[in-house]
Structure formats: structure tokens, C-alpha cells
Amino acid sequence: MSVVILDFGSQFTRLIARRFRELGAYSVILPGTASLERIAQENPQGIVLSGGPSSVYDEAAPRPAAGVLDLPVPILGVCYGMQFLAQQAGGTVARAGRREYGKADLTRYSGQLFEGIAGEFVAWMSHSDSVTALPAGYEVVAETLDTPVTAIENNVTRRYGVQFHPEVVHTPKGGQLLANFLGICGIERDWNAEHIVEDLIEGVRAQVGDGRVLLAISGGVDSSTLGLLLARAVGEKLTAVFIDHGLLRLGEREQVEAALLPLGVNLITVDARTEFMGALTGVSDPEQKRKIIGREFIRAFEREARIHGPFDYLAQGTLYPDVIESAGGLHSEKSGAANIKSHHNVGGLPDDLAFKLVEPFRTLFKDEVREIARLLGLPEHIRMRHPFPGPGLAIRVIGAISEEKLDILRRVDDIFISGLREFGLYDGCSQALAVLTPIQSVGVMGDERTYSYTAALRAVTTDDFMTAEWARLPYDFLATMSNRIVNHVHEINRVVYDITGKPPATIEWE
């Protein structure tokens, strides 16, 4: 049994799936226009119509396939999804007199979706259209000052709609509302990490068969966990290759080898620093950097395949956020998302790729991978390690890279990350990093004028990496880090701290 989420282009669709999984229910995302036959393959016990940027009254507005609304299962419409439900049932949707965006208090609420919820209900709104005339059989069960029709129910047809987004953290009681929907659907909440591992191993075995797998491994939680999973799934048919591309942090190559070799992973380390640095010489555009690094990764693996192969598959630890930000989507037929930035393991692969891809984590979030890592026995210091991008320090040196700039950044990064651990702040951050900017400014050190680089420090907190808040690190800590950096890295005379959230920024600068 599952909840099928039909995606009409909302930036929060993946969060809906994630919330249901957190509640112990298996959920899948399909394109909003998926056929009735495709939906039926998932044996849905409930359906969610997601939000989206369109207006339901537009001629080109996306619509579910004929027959979807006639399925004998509960349906929940979110934002655009609610407007579509109302319109198809004979209601009216029109441009609202005032756009509602951000937090809003429900002035009243009742009904099955709100069962067991008490007290203040803060909802996150993002809409310019509203239901202005209610369809027959429906009743209004929630409203705000600006939106008289905030939630609707038809308990006979089991059709429900909310104008707000219960899936985002800005709707604190949204999880209970989604849990109530699961109860209405009668879905057993037995989806857990153990279940995920079993399904992933079965899926890999079915895909790979007797083929051999080459794994791109970095030593981070994603690729390390994937290594353990693949080892269980295909055993000796797996070869893990760690590429030293010259863009690693201080001492990282040695740390990766020391952490993974004792786990019994068949790990081969390849020194490809000359090739990568040569290809990146003079390149300053971040998108070009990523694509070059993706290309060089594949070329390096192809060289190793010829030496240690033959191999049939290339495995990658691609996650949901990678796919979303690269606008790859979950489905090739969905192409409406904007490309934020290409990920080397999504947008930088060459057309003549010699391998078939194995990406078991493509539909998982970081926290789900960490739970899998725990079950597979990955050591805690790797399991809880902050994410580190595949392109490495290449995208943390703003502009063209050089050996000198990489060396500067390595020392700055080591001071910052070591400081976070020393002061007990590392685990309170979801991701922390240092950036070497191209900005040079005047300073005074030892009574002498300096003209040196500016380093930027960034730390964020998040539960899903889809949105993030800048970490409120103590001022005393930041002052200590600034002092250490300018005293130990003489090429730096100014340190700044990034206090921008995601959105509008991304976590990485490039």
C-alpha cells in the first residue's frame, strides 16, 4: 500500500513524500499527468495532488489523467491541488484580491483532517489564487483572515483540500494533519529504515544481475553507505574507486583510506590530480567547473575499468536534492523545473557514458541515508559527517582555481571545522564550510600594510537540505575563528560570516 503524490511542479513535492515516510508510510511521486494504469501499479490507498505554479483556470494548466478523481481512495489536494479539486467539483477559483505568502494563523479549523489538533495552528501560505465559490457537497473547515476558504472537506467522497502547505516546517502541526490523512486512508505505517534497506538490496540485485559494479566513492556518508549496501547486495562484484582529484580537504585522502579499508571495502585509490588540475586551468564559471569535473570523473573511472574491469555499471550516491537542483526531476517527462545548478553526478555526465548507472539513493533524503548507514554499521564519525560536494574545493574557491588558492582554502577550512569540533558546535550544524573569495582588501598586520584575500565562513541548520537557516554560532566562537585564521593563514586578512538562508541562497556558494 502506498500514498501516490501527483507532482504538478511544486518546489515542496519531495517534502510531502518525505513527511509521509517519516510517519512510516510508503510514498511515491509520479508526474501530475501520470496515466491511470501507471498510478494503479503503485496500489495507492491515498492520492495527493501537489501544489504548483499554474492557475487552474489557465488553458494549459496541468491536470491529472481522466479517471483519477473517480478512484475509490481518499484524495488530498494541497494548494493548487485543492483549487483543482474544487474547480472540478463545480466550484470557482479566481485571482485573490491579496496574495498570501508566508505564515498565517488559522482563525478556525475543524473536521477530519484536523482531528486531535488543538490550540494555535500556524500555516505556511504561498498562493495568489483562491477558491471563491464552494462546490456542492463540500464544507469549509478552516479559514484565515485573508483566505475564507483555507481548507475544505467532502466526507462522502473522501475528498479533502488545504490551501496551505502542511509539508513544510513552517507549518508546525502539518505533520499531524498528514498523519490524519493516513488514518483516513487506512494505510499501515510500517515503512522504516529496515524496510528501505531490504527494498534497495533487492532492487540492486534485480538491476545488476551478474554484472560487475564500479563505485565512485568519496568517503562521505552517501558513497560510504552505498559501498556497504552494494557489498551486501553484490559482494565481490563491487569495486570501489576513490579518486584523488586534488580538490580534497586537508588530510582527506588519508582519512578516507583509514576509515574504509578496515570495513572490508575493496577500495582502490587513484591519483588523478594532474588530469583534473590541467582540465580546470583558467576556468572560473561554476557550471563549467562542475561539468569538467563530472567529465574527468567518468574518464578516470573508464581508465580504471579498463585496468580492473570489465564493469557493467557505475554506482553513484545521488540523492533527491541533487536531482531537484539539477532539474533532472524524478521523471524524464517532467521538465518544468528551473535549473539551479548542475551536480557533477547528475548534470555533468557525458553522452557517451560507457556504463549503466546504479543510483539506489536517488529517491532518498540525507537523513534516510544516515539511518541506512546506522543499520549497515558505518562508524559514527563518518555517518554524521557533514556533506561535502563531489566537485570538492573547486566550487569553494570562487573563480579560477590554482594550487596556491587550494592550499589557502584547505588551511582555512581545517581551522574552521576543527574549531567547530573543539567547541562542541559541529553536531549542531547540518553543514559547515569555508569559501575563498576573489576579494582582496587592505589590512594592517604587524604595523605593515597588507592586501590579501577575504575568507567567508558558512554554517547552516536544516532537516532536509531543501531549505536551510544560517547557524547562529556564538560571537565569541566566530571571533576566535577569525583570529586563528588571520594569524595562521597569512594570505587571509579578512574573515566574514555568511548569514543568508536557503532560499534565496544555496548552501554552497557555487
Side-chain angles (χ1 to χ4, degrees), residues 475-506:
Y475 290 156
D476 288 346
F477 169 76
L478 292 173
T480 300
M481 292 300 98
S482 177
N483 185 62
R484 287 183 183 178
I485 289 169
V486 298
N487 277 289
H488 290 87
V489 185
H490 301 305
E491 298 89 343
I492 301 292
N493 69 353
R494 193 177 299 269
V495 178
V496 299
Y497 185 57
D498 185 347
I499 59 170
T500 316
K502 174 187 180 181
T506 54

PDB file of all heavy atoms in Angstrom, residues 475-506:
ATOM      1  N   TYR A 475      29.114  34.561  18.976  1.00  0.00           N
ATOM      2  CA  TYR A 475      30.033  35.610  18.533  1.00  0.00           C
ATOM      3  C   TYR A 475      31.462  35.334  18.995  1.00  0.00           C
ATOM      4  O   TYR A 475      32.427  35.572  18.257  1.00  0.00           O
ATOM      5  CB  TYR A 475      29.579  36.970  19.053  1.00  0.00           C
ATOM      6  CG  TYR A 475      28.309  37.493  18.418  1.00  0.00           C
ATOM      7  CD1 TYR A 475      27.510  38.421  19.086  1.00  0.00           C
ATOM      8  CD2 TYR A 475      27.897  37.064  17.159  1.00  0.00           C
ATOM      9  CE1 TYR A 475      26.342  38.906  18.516  1.00  0.00           C
ATOM     10  CE2 TYR A 475      26.741  37.541  16.580  1.00  0.00           C
ATOM     11  CZ  TYR A 475      25.960  38.466  17.265  1.00  0.00           C
ATOM     12  OH  TYR A 475      24.817  38.949  16.705  1.00  0.00           O
ATOM     13  N   ASP A 476      31.605  34.855  20.219  1.00  0.00           N
ATOM     14  CA  ASP A 476      32.955  34.589  20.736  1.00  0.00           C
ATOM     15  C   ASP A 476      33.657  33.530  19.902  1.00  0.00           C
ATOM     16  O   ASP A 476      34.877  33.613  19.663  1.00  0.00           O
ATOM     17  CB  ASP A 476      32.897  34.144  22.198  1.00  0.00           C
ATOM     18  CG  ASP A 476      32.541  35.286  23.139  1.00  0.00           C
ATOM     19  OD1 ASP A 476      32.601  36.452  22.700  1.00  0.00           O
ATOM     20  OD2 ASP A 476      32.198  35.015  24.307  1.00  0.00           O
ATOM     21  N   PHE A 477      32.902  32.519  19.487  1.00  0.00           N
ATOM     22  CA  PHE A 477      33.482  31.478  18.640  1.00  0.00           C
ATOM     23  C   PHE A 477      33.922  32.062  17.302  1.00  0.00           C
ATOM     24  O   PHE A 477      35.026  31.782  16.820  1.00  0.00           O
ATOM     25  CB  PHE A 477      32.467  30.358  18.416  1.00  0.00           C
ATOM     26  CG  PHE A 477      32.884  29.385  17.342  1.00  0.00           C
ATOM     27  CD1 PHE A 477      33.857  28.423  17.593  1.00  0.00           C
ATOM     28  CD2 PHE A 477      32.325  29.444  16.070  1.00  0.00           C
ATOM     29  CE1 PHE A 477      34.256  27.534  16.604  1.00  0.00           C
ATOM     30  CE2 PHE A 477      32.719  28.564  15.077  1.00  0.00           C
ATOM     31  CZ  PHE A 477      33.688  27.607  15.344  1.00  0.00           C
ATOM     32  N   LEU A 478      33.058  32.864  16.674  1.00  0.00           N
ATOM     33  CA  LEU A 478      33.407  33.453  15.390  1.00  0.00           C
ATOM     34  C   LEU A 478      34.620  34.361  15.515  1.00  0.00           C
ATOM     35  O   LEU A 478      35.485  34.392  14.630  1.00  0.00           O
ATOM     36  CB  LEU A 478      32.212  34.230  14.829  1.00  0.00           C
ATOM     37  CG  LEU A 478      31.009  33.377  14.399  1.00  0.00           C
ATOM     38  CD1 LEU A 478      29.836  34.266  14.019  1.00  0.00           C
ATOM     39  CD2 LEU A 478      31.380  32.460  13.239  1.00  0.00           C
ATOM     40  N   ALA A 479      34.698  35.092  16.630  1.00  0.00           N
ATOM     41  CA  ALA A 479      35.864  35.958  16.845  1.00  0.00           C
ATOM     42  C   ALA A 479      37.136  35.130  16.974  1.00  0.00           C
ATOM     43  O   ALA A 479      38.195  35.497  16.439  1.00  0.00           O
ATOM     44  CB  ALA A 479      35.650  36.806  18.102  1.00  0.00           C
ATOM     45  N   THR A 480      37.033  33.984  17.669  1.00  0.00           N
ATOM     46  CA  THR A 480      38.195  33.106  17.830  1.00  0.00           C
ATOM     47  C   THR A 480      38.629  32.536  16.485  1.00  0.00           C
ATOM     48  O   THR A 480      39.826  32.483  16.175  1.00  0.00           O
ATOM     49  CB  THR A 480      37.868  31.963  18.803  1.00  0.00           C
ATOM     50  OG1 THR A 480      37.525  32.508  20.077  1.00  0.00           O
ATOM     51  CG2 THR A 480      39.053  31.022  18.954  1.00  0.00           C
ATOM     52  N   MET A 481      37.659  32.126  15.672  1.00  0.00           N
ATOM     53  CA  MET A 481      37.986  31.572  14.361  1.00  0.00           C
ATOM     54  C   MET A 481      38.649  32.633  13.477  1.00  0.00           C
ATOM     55  O   MET A 481      39.629  32.353  12.776  1.00  0.00           O
ATOM     56  CB  MET A 481      36.739  31.027  13.673  1.00  0.00           C
ATOM     57  CG  MET A 481      36.128  29.790  14.327  1.00  0.00           C
ATOM     58  SD  MET A 481      37.273  28.374  14.397  1.00  0.00           S
ATOM     59  CE  MET A 481      37.892  28.530  16.092  1.00  0.00           C
ATOM     60  N   SER A 482      38.107  33.827  13.477  1.00  0.00           N
ATOM     61  CA  SER A 482      38.689  34.905  12.677  1.00  0.00           C
ATOM     62  C   SER A 482      40.128  35.164  13.097  1.00  0.00           C
ATOM     63  O   SER A 482      41.031  35.300  12.254  1.00  0.00           O
ATOM     64  CB  SER A 482      37.855  36.178  12.827  1.00  0.00           C
ATOM     65  OG  SER A 482      38.445  37.248  12.123  1.00  0.00           O
ATOM     66  N   ASN A 483      40.370  35.210  14.392  1.00  0.00           N
ATOM     67  CA  ASN A 483      41.711  35.460  14.907  1.00  0.00           C
ATOM     68  C   ASN A 483      42.678  34.341  14.507  1.00  0.00           C
ATOM     69  O   ASN A 483      43.813  34.603  14.083  1.00  0.00           O
ATOM     70  CB  ASN A 483      41.654  35.598  16.426  1.00  0.00           C
ATOM     71  CG  ASN A 483      42.992  35.982  17.023  1.00  0.00           C
ATOM     72  OD1 ASN A 483      43.535  37.040  16.725  1.00  0.00           O
ATOM     73  ND2 ASN A 483      43.537  35.117  17.866  1.00  0.00           N
ATOM     74  N   ARG A 484      42.216  33.092  14.639  1.00  0.00           N
ATOM     75  CA  ARG A 484      43.085  31.966  14.278  1.00  0.00           C
ATOM     76  C   ARG A 484      43.412  31.971  12.793  1.00  0.00           C
ATOM     77  O   ARG A 484      44.554  31.711  12.387  1.00  0.00           O
ATOM     78  CB  ARG A 484      42.412  30.646  14.663  1.00  0.00           C
ATOM     79  CG  ARG A 484      42.379  30.367  16.154  1.00  0.00           C
ATOM     80  CD  ARG A 484      41.759  29.010  16.434  1.00  0.00           C
ATOM     81  NE  ARG A 484      41.656  28.752  17.863  1.00  0.00           N
ATOM     82  CZ  ARG A 484      41.119  27.657  18.397  1.00  0.00           C
ATOM     83  NH1 ARG A 484      40.643  26.714  17.589  1.00  0.00           N
ATOM     84  NH2 ARG A 484      41.059  27.507  19.710  1.00  0.00           N
ATOM     85  N   ILE A 485      42.410  32.243  11.985  1.00  0.00           N
ATOM     86  CA  ILE A 485      42.621  32.193  10.536  1.00  0.00           C
ATOM     87  C   ILE A 485      43.615  33.245  10.083  1.00  0.00           C
ATOM     88  O   ILE A 485      44.575  32.954   9.347  1.00  0.00           O
ATOM     89  CB  ILE A 485      41.275  32.334   9.798  1.00  0.00           C
ATOM     90  CG1 ILE A 485      40.435  31.063   9.992  1.00  0.00           C
ATOM     91  CG2 ILE A 485      41.496  32.591   8.303  1.00  0.00           C
ATOM     92  CD1 ILE A 485      38.992  31.195   9.540  1.00  0.00           C
ATOM     93  N   VAL A 486      43.433  34.490  10.486  1.00  0.00           N
ATOM     94  CA  VAL A 486      44.333  35.549  10.008  1.00  0.00           C
ATOM     95  C   VAL A 486      45.737  35.399  10.591  1.00  0.00           C
ATOM     96  O   VAL A 486      46.720  35.869   9.997  1.00  0.00           O
ATOM     97  CB  VAL A 486      43.771  36.953  10.318  1.00  0.00           C
ATOM     98  CG1 VAL A 486      42.456  37.167   9.604  1.00  0.00           C
ATOM     99  CG2 VAL A 486      43.618  37.185  11.813  1.00  0.00           C
ATOM    100  N   ASN A 487      45.856  34.715  11.741  1.00  0.00           N
ATOM    101  CA  ASN A 487      47.174  34.522  12.337  1.00  0.00           C
ATOM    102  C   ASN A 487      47.914  33.320  11.764  1.00  0.00           C
ATOM    103  O   ASN A 487      49.151  33.305  11.765  1.00  0.00           O
ATOM    104  CB  ASN A 487      47.053  34.382  13.859  1.00  0.00           C
ATOM    105  CG  ASN A 487      46.981  35.725  14.564  1.00  0.00           C
ATOM    106  OD1 ASN A 487      47.973  36.458  14.637  1.00  0.00           O
ATOM    107  ND2 ASN A 487      45.806  36.066  15.052  1.00  0.00           N
ATOM    108  N   HIS A 488      47.177  32.320  11.282  1.00  0.00           N
ATOM    109  CA  HIS A 488      47.822  31.107  10.795  1.00  0.00           C
ATOM    110  C   HIS A 488      47.815  30.983   9.277  1.00  0.00           C
ATOM    111  O   HIS A 488      48.577  30.187   8.717  1.00  0.00           O
ATOM    112  CB  HIS A 488      47.159  29.866  11.406  1.00  0.00           C
ATOM    113  CG  HIS A 488      47.425  29.706  12.878  1.00  0.00           C
ATOM    114  ND1 HIS A 488      46.638  30.300  13.851  1.00  0.00           N
ATOM    115  CD2 HIS A 488      48.392  29.033  13.543  1.00  0.00           C
ATOM    116  CE1 HIS A 488      47.102  29.991  15.054  1.00  0.00           C
ATOM    117  NE2 HIS A 488      48.172  29.217  14.896  1.00  0.00           N
ATOM    118  N   VAL A 489      46.948  31.732   8.629  1.00  0.00           N
ATOM    119  CA  VAL A 489      46.901  31.717   7.166  1.00  0.00           C
ATOM    120  C   VAL A 489      47.211  33.137   6.714  1.00  0.00           C
ATOM    121  O   VAL A 489      46.318  33.980   6.609  1.00  0.00           O
ATOM    122  CB  VAL A 489      45.519  31.255   6.647  1.00  0.00           C
ATOM    123  CG1 VAL A 489      45.552  31.130   5.126  1.00  0.00           C
ATOM    124  CG2 VAL A 489      45.119  29.930   7.285  1.00  0.00           C
ATOM    125  N   HIS A 490      48.462  33.400   6.452  1.00  0.00           N
ATOM    126  CA  HIS A 490      48.904  34.783   6.241  1.00  0.00           C
ATOM    127  C   HIS A 490      48.361  35.388   4.942  1.00  0.00           C
ATOM    128  O   HIS A 490      48.384  36.605   4.777  1.00  0.00           O
ATOM    129  CB  HIS A 490      50.436  34.835   6.248  1.00  0.00           C
ATOM    130  CG  HIS A 490      51.038  34.334   7.526  1.00  0.00           C
ATOM    131  ND1 HIS A 490      50.683  34.844   8.749  1.00  0.00           N
ATOM    132  CD2 HIS A 490      51.964  33.363   7.767  1.00  0.00           C
ATOM    133  CE1 HIS A 490      51.365  34.215   9.708  1.00  0.00           C
ATOM    134  NE2 HIS A 490      52.146  33.297   9.128  1.00  0.00           N
ATOM    135  N   GLU A 491      47.857  34.556   4.057  1.00  0.00           N
ATOM    136  CA  GLU A 491      47.278  35.080   2.821  1.00  0.00           C
ATOM    137  C   GLU A 491      45.870  35.645   3.027  1.00  0.00           C
ATOM    138  O   GLU A 491      45.271  36.200   2.107  1.00  0.00           O
ATOM    139  CB  GLU A 491      47.214  33.974   1.759  1.00  0.00           C
ATOM    140  CG  GLU A 491      48.585  33.410   1.361  1.00  0.00           C
ATOM    141  CD  GLU A 491      49.010  32.235   2.235  1.00  0.00           C
ATOM    142  OE1 GLU A 491      48.422  32.053   3.335  1.00  0.00           O
ATOM    143  OE2 GLU A 491      49.916  31.476   1.812  1.00  0.00           O
ATOM    144  N   ILE A 492      45.327  35.493   4.227  1.00  0.00           N
ATOM    145  CA  ILE A 492      43.995  35.997   4.580  1.00  0.00           C
ATOM    146  C   ILE A 492      44.132  37.142   5.584  1.00  0.00           C
ATOM    147  O   ILE A 492      44.835  37.007   6.588  1.00  0.00           O
ATOM    148  CB  ILE A 492      43.127  34.881   5.208  1.00  0.00           C
ATOM    149  CG1 ILE A 492      42.960  33.705   4.246  1.00  0.00           C
ATOM    150  CG2 ILE A 492      41.770  35.444   5.641  1.00  0.00           C
ATOM    151  CD1 ILE A 492      42.143  34.001   3.028  1.00  0.00           C
ATOM    152  N   ASN A 493      43.454  38.261   5.313  1.00  0.00           N
ATOM    153  CA  ASN A 493      43.458  39.346   6.302  1.00  0.00           C
ATOM    154  C   ASN A 493      42.043  39.796   6.674  1.00  0.00           C
ATOM    155  O   ASN A 493      41.880  40.779   7.408  1.00  0.00           O
ATOM    156  CB  ASN A 493      44.271  40.547   5.804  1.00  0.00           C
ATOM    157  CG  ASN A 493      43.614  41.280   4.644  1.00  0.00           C
ATOM    158  OD1 ASN A 493      42.605  40.835   4.108  1.00  0.00           O
ATOM    159  ND2 ASN A 493      44.202  42.400   4.245  1.00  0.00           N
ATOM    160  N   ARG A 494      41.028  39.078   6.160  1.00  0.00           N
ATOM    161  CA  ARG A 494      39.652  39.462   6.477  1.00  0.00           C
ATOM    162  C   ARG A 494      38.788  38.205   6.435  1.00  0.00           C
ATOM    163  O   ARG A 494      38.884  37.402   5.509  1.00  0.00           O
ATOM    164  CB  ARG A 494      39.139  40.504   5.486  1.00  0.00           C
ATOM    165  CG  ARG A 494      37.831  41.191   5.904  1.00  0.00           C
ATOM    166  CD  ARG A 494      37.461  42.265   4.891  1.00  0.00           C
ATOM    167  NE  ARG A 494      38.468  43.300   4.788  1.00  0.00           N
ATOM    168  CZ  ARG A 494      38.480  44.420   5.509  1.00  0.00           C
ATOM    169  NH1 ARG A 494      37.517  44.634   6.396  1.00  0.00           N
ATOM    170  NH2 ARG A 494      39.441  45.309   5.349  1.00  0.00           N
ATOM    171  N   VAL A 495      37.928  38.054   7.467  1.00  0.00           N
ATOM    172  CA  VAL A 495      37.033  36.902   7.552  1.00  0.00           C
ATOM    173  C   VAL A 495      35.601  37.400   7.720  1.00  0.00           C
ATOM    174  O   VAL A 495      35.339  38.266   8.557  1.00  0.00           O
ATOM    175  CB  VAL A 495      37.402  35.983   8.744  1.00  0.00           C
ATOM    176  CG1 VAL A 495      36.428  34.808   8.850  1.00  0.00           C
ATOM    177  CG2 VAL A 495      38.835  35.466   8.600  1.00  0.00           C
ATOM    178  N   VAL A 496      34.686  36.875   6.903  1.00  0.00           N
ATOM    179  CA  VAL A 496      33.267  37.236   7.008  1.00  0.00           C
ATOM    180  C   VAL A 496      32.455  35.977   7.250  1.00  0.00           C
ATOM    181  O   VAL A 496      32.890  34.859   6.940  1.00  0.00           O
ATOM    182  CB  VAL A 496      32.772  37.961   5.743  1.00  0.00           C
ATOM    183  CG1 VAL A 496      33.539  39.254   5.528  1.00  0.00           C
ATOM    184  CG2 VAL A 496      32.900  37.064   4.512  1.00  0.00           C
ATOM    185  N   TYR A 497      31.238  36.157   7.813  1.00  0.00           N
ATOM    186  CA  TYR A 497      30.348  35.029   8.086  1.00  0.00           C
ATOM    187  C   TYR A 497      29.057  35.218   7.300  1.00  0.00           C
ATOM    188  O   TYR A 497      28.429  36.272   7.358  1.00  0.00           O
ATOM    189  CB  TYR A 497      30.050  34.928   9.584  1.00  0.00           C
ATOM    190  CG  TYR A 497      29.229  33.715   9.963  1.00  0.00           C
ATOM    191  CD1 TYR A 497      29.674  32.425   9.645  1.00  0.00           C
ATOM    192  CD2 TYR A 497      28.020  33.841  10.645  1.00  0.00           C
ATOM    193  CE1 TYR A 497      28.930  31.316   9.989  1.00  0.00           C
ATOM    194  CE2 TYR A 497      27.263  32.730  11.000  1.00  0.00           C
ATOM    195  CZ  TYR A 497      27.730  31.468  10.668  1.00  0.00           C
ATOM    196  OH  TYR A 497      26.991  30.347  11.008  1.00  0.00           O
ATOM    197  N   ASP A 498      28.665  34.200   6.550  1.00  0.00           N
ATOM    198  CA  ASP A 498      27.502  34.236   5.669  1.00  0.00           C
ATOM    199  C   ASP A 498      26.222  34.016   6.490  1.00  0.00           C
ATOM    200  O   ASP A 498      26.046  32.965   7.103  1.00  0.00           O
ATOM    201  CB  ASP A 498      27.656  33.146   4.603  1.00  0.00           C
ATOM    202  CG  ASP A 498      26.558  33.161   3.562  1.00  0.00           C
ATOM    203  OD1 ASP A 498      25.536  33.837   3.768  1.00  0.00           O
ATOM    204  OD2 ASP A 498      26.724  32.482   2.527  1.00  0.00           O
ATOM    205  N   ILE A 499      25.318  34.994   6.480  1.00  0.00           N
ATOM    206  CA  ILE A 499      24.068  34.881   7.238  1.00  0.00           C
ATOM    207  C   ILE A 499      22.852  34.855   6.302  1.00  0.00           C
ATOM    208  O   ILE A 499      21.792  35.393   6.613  1.00  0.00           O
ATOM    209  CB  ILE A 499      23.927  36.009   8.277  1.00  0.00           C
ATOM    210  CG1 ILE A 499      23.952  37.386   7.598  1.00  0.00           C
ATOM    211  CG2 ILE A 499      25.020  35.911   9.325  1.00  0.00           C
ATOM    212  CD1 ILE A 499      23.570  38.523   8.544  1.00  0.00           C
ATOM    213  N   THR A 500      23.001  34.176   5.162  1.00  0.00           N
ATOM    214  CA  THR A 500      21.921  34.066   4.191  1.00  0.00           C
ATOM    215  C   THR A 500      21.307  32.676   4.256  1.00  0.00           C
ATOM    216  O   THR A 500      22.017  31.676   4.335  1.00  0.00           O
ATOM    217  CB  THR A 500      22.444  34.308   2.766  1.00  0.00           C
ATOM    218  OG1 THR A 500      23.326  35.421   2.759  1.00  0.00           O
ATOM    219  CG2 THR A 500      21.287  34.568   1.807  1.00  0.00           C
ATOM    220  N   GLY A 501      19.974  32.609   4.238  1.00  0.00           N
ATOM    221  CA  GLY A 501      19.288  31.325   4.266  1.00  0.00           C
ATOM    222  C   GLY A 501      19.144  30.742   2.869  1.00  0.00           C
ATOM    223  O   GLY A 501      19.512  31.337   1.858  1.00  0.00           O
ATOM    224  N   LYS A 502      18.612  29.511   2.823  1.00  0.00           N
ATOM    225  CA  LYS A 502      18.286  28.849   1.556  1.00  0.00           C
ATOM    226  C   LYS A 502      16.794  28.546   1.537  1.00  0.00           C
ATOM    227  O   LYS A 502      16.335  27.752   2.359  1.00  0.00           O
ATOM    228  CB  LYS A 502      19.067  27.549   1.397  1.00  0.00           C
ATOM    229  CG  LYS A 502      18.647  26.749   0.150  1.00  0.00           C
ATOM    230  CD  LYS A 502      19.298  25.382   0.094  1.00  0.00           C
ATOM    231  CE  LYS A 502      18.841  24.626  -1.161  1.00  0.00           C
ATOM    232  NZ  LYS A 502      19.428  23.280  -1.256  1.00  0.00           N
ATOM    233  N   PRO A 503      16.011  29.146   0.645  1.00  0.00           N
ATOM    234  CA  PRO A 503      16.377  30.241  -0.253  1.00  0.00           C
ATOM    235  C   PRO A 503      16.529  31.546   0.534  1.00  0.00           C
ATOM    236  O   PRO A 503      16.188  31.567   1.698  1.00  0.00           O
ATOM    237  CB  PRO A 503      15.182  30.281  -1.215  1.00  0.00           C
ATOM    238  CG  PRO A 503      14.024  29.792  -0.395  1.00  0.00           C
ATOM    239  CD  PRO A 503      14.594  28.756   0.532  1.00  0.00           C
ATOM    240  N   PRO A 504      17.077  32.596  -0.073  1.00  0.00           N
ATOM    241  CA  PRO A 504      17.332  32.784  -1.502  1.00  0.00           C
ATOM    242  C   PRO A 504      18.658  32.204  -1.989  1.00  0.00           C
ATOM    243  O   PRO A 504      18.852  32.021  -3.176  1.00  0.00           O
ATOM    244  CB  PRO A 504      17.340  34.303  -1.657  1.00  0.00           C
ATOM    245  CG  PRO A 504      17.869  34.789  -0.344  1.00  0.00           C
ATOM    246  CD  PRO A 504      17.292  33.863   0.689  1.00  0.00           C
ATOM    247  N   ALA A 505      19.595  31.957  -1.084  1.00  0.00           N
ATOM    248  CA  ALA A 505      20.891  31.418  -1.496  1.00  0.00           C
ATOM    249  C   ALA A 505      20.827  29.891  -1.533  1.00  0.00           C
ATOM    250  O   ALA A 505      19.873  29.277  -1.041  1.00  0.00           O
ATOM    251  CB  ALA A 505      21.984  31.873  -0.534  1.00  0.00           C
ATOM    252  N   THR A 506      21.852  29.266  -2.112  1.00  0.00           N
ATOM    253  CA  THR A 506      22.057  27.835  -1.947  1.00  0.00           C
ATOM    254  C   THR A 506      23.071  27.660  -0.822  1.00  0.00           C
ATOM    255  O   THR A 506      23.677  28.625  -0.361  1.00  0.00           O
ATOM    256  CB  THR A 506      22.578  27.190  -3.240  1.00  0.00           C
ATOM    257  OG1 THR A 506      23.746  27.892  -3.675  1.00  0.00           O
ATOM    258  CG2 THR A 506      21.524  27.237  -4.331  1.00  0.00           C
TER     259      THR A 506
END
